[in-house]
Amino acid sequence: MSAAPAVAQSQDVVPVPEAAPVPAPAVAPVPAPVAAYNPPVPQMPSPSASLYVGELDPTVTEAMLFEIFNMIGPVASIRVCRDAVTRRSLGYAYVNYLNANDGERALEQLNYSLIKGRACRIMWSQRDPALRKTGQGNIFIKNLDEAIDNKALHDTFAAFGNVLSCKVATDEHGHSKGYGFVHYETAEAADTAIKAVNGMLLNDKKVYVGHHISKKERQSKLDEIRAHFTNIYVKNLDPEVTQEEFTQLFEQFGLVTSAVVSVDDEGKSKGFGFVNFENHEEAQQAVDALHDSDYKGRKLFVSRAQKKAEREEELRRSYEQAKMEKMSKYQGVNLYIKNLDDEIDDERLRAEFEPFGSITSAKVMRDDKGTSKGFGFVCFSSPDEATKAVAEMNNKMIGAKPLYVSLAQRREVRRQQLESQIAQRNQIRMQQAAAAGMPGYMNGPMYYPAGPGFPPQGGRGMMGYGPGMPPMRPRYAPNGQVAGMPMPPGPYGQGPPQPYGMGGGYTRGGAPRPPP
């Protein structure tokens, strides 16, 4: 329903003609207000301007990183991540810029650059662990040439998409292990790289490229493969066993697809070989029947064939387990004694500690020449006896020296305790320095540049205090006075005190010495 007009035509109303437009009065221009001075407010770094810097040398500090990254643009803060107890560097840091453009330039210009002889690896910081651990877009490359480093790998795979991170695995000496990882921004780029590079030659070596599989998934697959093995390993063979006899020994358990006795360059048997069956049940039956059995006067060792890395890992795990069992066995019963006289031997050490309980072993440590090192160990049969011996024998005079007796500890535990004590002492010193009004050290592990300007006007050496940078020492004038500070007056209005050897004293004859 249409709205009714404001004035109906049926009513006897004379329409009023429109009035002519009245020109607006001239208004004098208002002068623009004077802009008030607002002091510069320090900008906060945007969430997307944070960079992760990895593969760092343990000696790299926040100040070193500031000098490098501040050349790109203003740095808001830098933090080198450290162990909570030992304060050792964990090998990575976070650099926060005031704007994201500087972060992008730093990523382009400084990625894989050398910092104290090691190529750093820079990527955008991803705080959400769920996004980091999804594995989407992450690929695995193996059979790499030793000459290929992080930068070469990055340049090779950057043609297929935006690379977030790239790394070649290295050993403790920095040598390549022959495999690496490339993390793309999208899964499509990862698929394209796999199709293009898998099976290709890089530095005359055929590489394998595939999707990255997490360690947990790989372990479950390996466990499944191990449970259904068909290849077995046989050792302790008689050197006279021929290839035909070796094959006939295992054919009684099923169809053998391959059997080989390892020989040297001269064709002589090395005493071990491998046998592969068609199915797992036959291989398992051969292991159960022939392991620890006698064959031609020798006891055979027959088990599932393992790769070298798997055997080393298994041996390492068993060694660590035996080590922990030994530690738990002697925990609280083994004593460490030092400050021993050179004349004290094992029998004398045992005789001194026998009144406190049953001793299972007593040993004085000696060097290659048989000279005592001044310390030894005594092991008791129960913790109560060991505790009583510590209470009675610690600081007791044996010969000309007081003994130091305590519970024996592993070297790693002692080192950790010493590092913890040193860290506590350093913290106490820093607190005392802060209470005395000394600047620096109490601002946390972050490194902030001094002042609102970047870099500071004073140049290098004027970046302010931060972790790893000692406070400035006062400069002294030749008369021992702190530069820029007046000397305090001496007692009874005698003027400022003079340092030793300066003027104001007396000569040997008693005459006053004039000041210099």
Side-chain angles (χ1 to χ4, degrees):
M1 182 176 181
S2 60
V7 180
Q9 295 295 332
S10 60
Q11 297 175 355
D12 297 332
V13 178
V14 179
V16 179
E18 294 182 359
V22 180
V27 180
V30 180
V34 179
Y37 171 73
N38 294 321
V41 179
Q43 306 179 37
M44 295 299 293
S46 60
S48 60
S50 181
L51 295 177
Y52 166 88
V53 185
E55 315 298 326
L56 294 177
D57 188 86
T59 60
V60 173
T61 62
E62 287 86 352
M64 296 177 188
L65 294 178
F66 174 79
E67 291 184 4
I68 296 172
F69 285 87
N70 193 58
M71 295 187 297
I72 304 298
V75 174
S77 64
I78 296 176
R79 176 170 184 168
V80 174
C81 296
R82 303 179 183 277
D83 186 87
V85 178
T86 63
R87 304 307 300 164
R88 289 180 180 175
S89 171
L90 299 178
Y92 64 93
Y94 292 97
V95 178
N96 299 315
Y97 279 99
L98 292 174
N99 57 76
N101 295 331
D102 294 334
E104 292 178 357
R105 287 200 302 271
L107 186 60
E108 294 174 359
Q109 300 178 19
L110 299 179
N111 200 10
Y112 308 117
S113 61
L114 294 179
I115 301 178
K116 297 204 73 173
R118 294 177 64 171
C120 67
R121 183 167 58 93
I122 305 175
M123 59 182 291
W124 290 110
S125 174
Q126 181 56 261
R127 299 290 182 177
D128 189 359
L131 297 177
R132 293 200 307 265
K133 297 178 180 179
T134 54
Q136 183 179 6
N138 201 1
I139 63 176
F140 169 72
I141 307 100
K142 70 177 181 179
N143 202 30
L144 289 173
D145 187 75
E146 293 182 357
I148 296 178
D149 56 4
N150 293 337
K151 190 175 189 309
L153 191 67
H154 183 276
D155 295 341
T156 302
F157 286 88
F160 307 104
N162 184 23
V163 176
L164 299 179
S165 175
C166 177
K167 180 178 181 180
V168 174
T170 57
D171 57 15
E172 60 272 11
H173 303 292
H175 301 145
S176 172
K177 290 184 176 180
Y179 65 91
F181 306 90
V182 176
H183 193 184
Y184 283 101
E185 188 176 12
T186 61
E188 292 77 12
D191 295 335
T192 305
I194 292 173
K195 293 177 182 178
V197 187
N198 186 28
M200 301 296 291
L201 295 177
L202 292 180
N203 285 11
D204 298 331
K205 293 186 72 173
K206 187 177 180 179
V207 297
Y208 166 82
V209 184
H211 288 286
H212 173 257
I213 302 175
S214 65
K215 186 175 181 180
K216 186 176 181 181
E217 295 177 0
R218 293 198 310 270
Q219 190 65 34
S220 61
K221 289 184 178 180
L222 287 175
D223 294 340
E224 184 178 355
I225 293 173
R226 292 168 186 169
H228 297 83
F229 67 92
T230 58
N231 195 17
I232 61 176
Y233 166 71
V234 185
K235 73 175 182 178
N236 206 23
L237 288 171
D238 188 273
E240 303 300 328
V241 174
T242 63
Q243 184 71 45
E244 293 75 12
E245 293 175 341
F246 184 69
T247 305
Q248 292 174 3
L249 177 63
F250 288 91
E251 280 181 340
Q252 56 181 322
F253 302 102
L255 180 60
V256 175
T257 59
S258 66
V260 60
V261 176
S262 296
V263 294
D264 56 15
D265 298 335
E266 299 178 356
K268 295 181 180 180
S269 172
K270 292 183 178 180
F272 67 91
F274 298 90
V275 180
N276 192 36
F277 286 90
E278 188 176 22
N279 56 63
H280 165 68
E281 289 74 14
E282 296 170 350
Q284 186 65 54
Q285 186 180 358
V287 171
D288 296 339
L290 294 179
H291 182 61
D292 285 339
S293 64
D294 290 331
Y295 181 70
K296 291 192 174 184
R298 293 202 176 190
K299 184 174 287 188
L300 296 180
F301 175 87
V302 184
S303 70
R304 175 180 62 87
Q306 296 174 299
K307 292 184 178 181
K308 183 178 180 180
E310 183 184 350
R311 289 200 311 273
E312 291 178 349
E313 181 64 26
E314 207 170 272
L315 290 173
R316 188 181 302 111
R317 194 182 303 115
S318 62
Y319 171 75
E320 289 294 333
Q321 183 178 358
K323 191 175 181 180
M324 296 302 295
E325 290 177 356
K326 186 177 180 181
M327 282 179 52
S328 60
K329 179 180 178 181
Y330 295 108
Q331 185 70 29
V333 297
N334 197 19
L335 299 184
Y336 168 71
I337 301 99
K338 71 176 181 179
N339 241 9
L340 293 173
D341 274 341
D342 295 340
E343 292 77 14
I344 296 180
D345 55 5
D346 297 349
E347 290 75 14
R348 173 76 185 279
L349 185 64
R350 177 185 290 268
E352 293 290 344
F353 284 84
E354 271 183 343
F356 306 102
S358 175
I359 295 177
T360 58
S361 66
K363 179 73 173 177
V364 175
M365 306 307 294
R366 301 182 180 277
D367 57 15
D368 298 335
K369 298 180 180 180
T371 306
S372 172
K373 292 184 177 181
F375 69 93
F377 298 91
V378 175
C379 187
F380 284 91
S381 58
S382 68
D384 294 337
E385 297 171 349
T387 304
K388 185 179 179 182
V390 171
E392 296 290 338
M393 296 296 291
N394 191 29
N395 291 327
K396 182 179 179 181
M397 295 294 296
I398 302 295
K401 297 180 181 179
L403 293 185
Y404 171 82
V405 184
S406 67
L407 291 175
Q409 294 176 314
R410 289 181 63 192
R411 182 179 302 174
E412 295 81 5
V413 177
R414 291 200 308 273
R415 182 183 293 113
Q416 185 176 0
Q417 288 182 353
L418 288 174
E419 290 173 347
S420 177
Q421 292 174 3
I422 292 172
Q424 291 177 359
R425 292 172 187 169
N426 291 338
Q427 186 176 5
I428 293 173
R429 291 195 188 103
M430 289 189 293
Q431 292 174 354
Q432 292 174 350
M438 295 176 64
Y441 296 109
M442 296 306 294
N443 294 330
M446 282 285 190
Y447 178 81
Y448 297 95
F454 301 93
Q457 299 297 326
R460 290 184 61 181
M462 297 294 292
M463 291 187 297
Y465 300 111
M469 298 183 63
M472 295 179 63
R473 297 180 179 178
R475 299 184 178 273
Y476 292 91
N479 61 351
Q481 176 182 349
V482 179
M485 296 180 62
M487 291 288 287
Y492 307 107
Q494 296 176 4
Q498 298 293 334
Y500 179 78
M502 304 300 289
Y506 290 86
T507 62
R508 290 185 179 180
R513 179 186 296 126

